[in-house]
Amino acid sequence: QVQLVESGGGLVQAGGSLRLSCAASGRTFSSYTMGWFRQAPGKEREIVAGISWSGGNPYYADSVKGRFTISRDNAKNTVYLQMNSLKPEDTAVYYCAAKATRGILTTGYDYWGQGTQVTVSS
């Protein structure tokens, strides 16, 4: 079993920054693909960013490209989402996700964290 625990959410002003962390435990290992998703009130869950086991060529949703950075520290079994230049439209519950399969970064995630709230004020 893989457990994912997010942290780092909170309230921030527009233009500010937050860093989310996702600590993985259990059967997780460095080859897992990791991703961040978010779900805003009244909207469906959407992919925000994804990163392969190697960390190369990560995926970003167009809405966050240039503002958010996904990274991972395999030695710590932790994935991060650095969020800069935050906008009110970034307000959502952010979820960490993982999958053991390789390839496409946008789909196929099997394991999910509990979510952490990010609220961006105007």
Side-chain angles (χ1 to χ4, degrees):
Q1 185 178 357
V2 175
Q3 297 89 41
L4 304 173
V5 180
E6 302 99 332
S7 62
L11 176 64
V12 65
Q13 293 182 346
S17 298
L18 285 173
R19 189 180 76 158
L20 305 183
S21 298
C22 174
S25 62
R27 291 291 185 181
T28 189
F29 55 97
S30 63
S31 61
Y32 274 20
T33 299
M34 304 294 294
W36 286 97
F37 291 72
R38 68 185 182 187
Q39 187 167 24
K43 299 183 66 176
E44 294 185 347
R45 186 178 298 181
E46 63 178 351
I47 179 75
V48 175
I51 188 168
S52 70
W53 67 271
S54 69
N57 196 26
Y59 168 84
Y60 296 99
D62 288 341
S63 59
V64 307
K65 194 172 298 182
R67 299 187 298 118
F68 291 9
T69 303
I70 188 171
S71 62
R72 65 190 299 161
D73 186 338
N74 289 336
K76 297 181 178 179
N77 285 338
T78 301
V79 63
Y80 306 95
L81 186 68
Q82 179 67 47
M83 305 185 294
N84 298 326
S85 301
L86 282 162
K87 305 174 181 179
E89 65 189 42
D90 295 318
T91 296
V93 177
Y94 284 71
Y95 298 90
C96 179
K99 64 176 181 178
T101 54
R102 301 169 61 187
I104 190 168
L105 300 176
T106 54
T107 62
Y109 290 90
D110 303 307
Y111 308 100
W112 298 86
Q114 82 289 347
T116 185
Q117 177 70 48
V118 172
T119 302
V120 184
S121 65
S122 301

